[in-house]
Amino acid sequence: MNKTVLPLVVLALLGLGACGDDSRGGGDDESSGTPACSDVWEVGETLDLNTYEGCEDGDSIVAVVTMGCYDADSKYVGQFTAYEDRLWVVQSGTDQKTGDGGTPGKITDVDPEC
């Protein structure tokens, strides 16, 4: 191939890579695959912390952060997480070392005081 044709072939291949639909997200809620926080965080709904990875709040992604929950006698209960310091869920029976497993909990507006 001569020196003029090679750059044209490279540019053509790069151009083809930009064609098609972008199903990897970066756009609206539907294409991102991340649920809206208002759809996830509803009092009384069950939330499985084994599969929950976070939610989308406007233009921001709210990642899940879980912590160990202990009762008043310092006995391990399970894992818990909160949303906006006003909604909580405790997944009881999780493995104390890994936080895995357990029974999905109900979202509540009553602080579990973990």
Side-chain angles (χ1 to χ4, degrees):
M1 241 181 236
N2 70 34
K3 293 180 183 180
T4 305
V5 174
L6 185 57
L8 293 175
V9 170
V10 171
L11 287 174
L13 290 174
L14 289 173
L16 288 176
C19 293
D21 76 304
D22 185 8
S23 60
R24 292 171 286 157
D28 56 38
D29 291 350
E30 292 178 17
S31 67
S32 72
T34 304
C37 293
S38 60
D39 291 339
V40 173
W41 287 95
E42 295 182 31
V43 173
E45 292 296 317
T46 300
L47 184 60
D48 186 349
L49 297 180
N50 288 312
T51 58
Y52 177 63
E53 295 179 347
C55 58
E56 190 166 336
D57 191 4
D59 291 336
S60 302
I61 298 292
V62 179
V64 64
V65 176
T66 63
M67 295 165 266
C69 180
Y70 297 83
D71 66 14
D73 297 323
S74 298
K75 182 181 174 204
Y76 180 75
V77 175
Q79 290 290 304
F80 86 100
T81 192
Y83 174 66
E84 292 187 340
D85 291 328
R86 63 180 181 85
L87 296 171
W88 297 268
V89 65
V90 176
Q91 186 148 323
S92 61
T94 58
D95 182 277
Q96 189 170 1
K97 292 181 182 175
T98 66
D100 294 333
T103 303
K106 298 266 185 204
I107 297 170
T108 180
D109 56 359
V110 178
D111 188 342
E113 298 182 15
C114 292

